[in-house]
Amino acid sequence: MRLCDFVQPATFANVNQHIFRRMKTKSIFAFTVAVFLSVSAFAVGGGAGSATFTIKTSKVGRPLVEAWTKAYMAEHPEVNIQIVGTKAADADLTLINHKEKNQKVAYVARYALLPVTTLNNPLVGEIEKKAWSSKDLKELFFTADELDDDFADDKQKKGKKITDRLNVVSGANSTSAAPSFAAFFGRNSDNIKGEKIAGDDLYLLNAINDDKTLVTFNSLNYLYDTDSRQLKNNLLIFPLSVKKEIGEALKSGNLDNVIVALEKQQSDVIPVDNIGFEYRNLTDSEEQFLKWVASEGQQYNNQKGFLKLLENQ
């Protein structure tokens, strides 16, 4: 017995149409899913003409790199920039704060270093009595160099001067600002007195809070709160022998005042050095990013506690 013996012709036709409609619906659904998955894969992979590259940065530069990359990717959604830490094996661009020989570097910002201790230092009264000169800072932070007139041996004052009674701590890892600080004063980081800390330079602030006799130096973005723009609690910036505008800015305890003053004037007691991206062979997308950072991206430097590039840079 056959199905057609029990179904009227018109009903049989309706069954066929129903089966056809279901098959058609499934086909459309399958096609839609396939298109959706293709579009999703296109979006995740970046699609045709997209670019992905990585940036390695230490803790000190990370907030600035994040500001740059966030703004750049908002303007260029076809670009995907991934930020990695210093422990990453490799990266396309690496943020560095002092240039070594034969490195290819595109400069993107500048940073300033200030000598600092805490308000709890037992010698804070003596520290504040003088305006510290370049000679004073050399005597404080560096071992004696017999070839330098600034280190002429004065046996009567040896051990009595404040520079002999303060203890120094500085950074020792590859991202520390110690080499730049030393080079500014014509020394190298091996000549810096006292204890060396292997961690990030941020930990130097912990050290001077734990041991009240210690002094150090650090960058503006670590010394000042970049949100409130004020000098961090319990810190004392050494009074320095500087021009009036810089001196007043330092006394104000305000980050923006200090940045404005240092971008206008140079000083022989405040080290300022460049930071930049080390690169090997730039792709077009990496080159366009670096050009953007050196132009439009400069608006984020001050916000994160860094100085803008000089016009001739």
Side-chain angles (χ1 to χ4, degrees):
M1 187 174 294
R2 295 174 301 172
L3 178 62
C4 57
D5 293 332
F6 292 92
V7 181
Q8 296 296 324
T11 304
F12 190 79
N14 289 340
V15 171
N16 285 338
Q17 289 176 7
H18 177 69
I19 294 172
F20 176 76
R21 282 197 299 270
R22 290 188 64 185
M23 292 176 65
K24 185 177 180 180
T25 300
K26 288 182 178 180
S27 297
I28 293 173
F29 177 77
F31 176 78
T32 303
V33 170
V35 170
F36 175 78
L37 292 176
S38 297
V39 171
S40 299
F42 183 91
V44 172
S50 66
T52 298
F53 58 89
T54 56
I55 294 177
K56 183 189 294 189
T57 179
S58 60
K59 183 179 295 185
V60 66
R62 191 178 186 96
L64 183 55
V65 173
E66 288 177 344
W68 284 330
T69 55
K70 181 179 179 180
Y72 187 78
M73 287 190 291
E75 293 183 21
H76 302 272
E78 76 282 3
V79 177
N80 178 30
I81 306 173
Q82 299 174 357
I83 301 174
V84 298
T86 53
K87 293 183 179 179
D90 201 6
D92 299 301
L93 301 174
T94 300
L95 192 73
I96 60 172
N97 58 3
H98 49 271
K99 185 178 183 297
E100 300 292 343
K101 188 177 180 181
N102 298 326
Q103 282 180 311
K104 296 180 180 178
V105 180
Y107 294 124
V108 288
R110 296 181 296 147
Y111 66 100
L113 301 170
L114 294 173
V116 63
T117 188
T118 69
L119 293 171
N120 296 323
N121 191 308
L123 297 177
V124 68
E126 292 184 60
I127 292 172
E128 292 186 302
K129 280 182 180 179
K130 60 188 299 183
W132 289 69
S133 66
S134 176
K135 176 182 177 180
D136 295 327
L137 294 177
K138 287 180 182 179
E139 289 182 349
L140 171 60
F141 285 104
F142 300 98
T143 54
D145 184 345
E146 295 179 357
L147 300 179
D148 192 330
D149 292 338
D150 287 342
F151 285 107
D153 187 22
D154 187 343
K155 294 181 180 180
Q156 292 182 343
K157 294 183 179 180
K158 188 68 175 175
K160 297 180 180 180
K161 294 189 294 184
I162 187 172
T163 53
D164 296 321
R165 289 181 286 131
L166 289 168
N167 299 315
V168 173
V169 63
S170 61
N173 69 358
S174 60
T175 63
S176 174
S180 293
F181 183 84
F184 182 83
F185 291 105
R187 299 290 187 271
N188 62 63
S189 54
D190 291 337
N191 301 136
I192 299 176
K193 293 179 183 177
E195 182 183 357
K196 308 290 193 300
I197 293 181
D200 186 85
D201 279 357
L202 180 63
Y203 300 127
L204 295 174
L205 301 184
N206 296 336
I208 63 175
N209 273 296
D210 292 340
D211 184 343
K212 306 301 186 293
T213 68
L214 291 176
V215 301
T216 189
F217 50 87
N218 222 318
S219 56
L220 299 183
N221 63 312
Y222 276 170
L223 297 174
Y224 294 81
D225 185 313
T226 54
D227 292 325
S228 70
R229 317 304 285 175
Q230 299 303 306
L231 185 66
K232 289 182 178 178
N233 291 336
N234 204 41
L235 293 183
L236 171 71
I237 303 298
F238 277 55
L240 300 173
S241 178
V242 291
K243 293 181 180 179
K244 181 179 179 181
E245 184 175 357
I246 297 178
E248 291 178 348
L250 292 173
K251 288 180 182 178
S252 74
N254 181 272
L255 175 59
D256 293 309
N257 292 343
V258 174
I259 288 175
V260 169
L262 293 180
E263 287 188 335
K264 287 182 179 178
Q265 300 178 9
Q266 294 181 335
S267 168
D268 67 343
V269 294
I270 301 178
V272 174
D273 203 356
N274 299 308
I275 62 172
F277 286 114
E278 181 189 6
Y279 62 89
R280 293 182 296 275
N281 298 309
L282 288 176
T283 63
D284 289 342
S285 58
E286 292 163 8
E287 183 175 359
Q288 290 306 311
F289 170 71
L290 293 178
K291 287 181 177 179
W292 180 91
V293 171
S295 53
E296 290 94 327
Q298 293 298 291
Q299 63 184 296
Y300 300 98
N301 291 20
N302 292 173
Q303 176 186 332
K304 299 301 179 181
F306 293 83
L307 278 60
K308 295 176 183 177
L309 292 173
L310 297 171
E311 289 185 6
N312 60 4
Q313 290 180 288

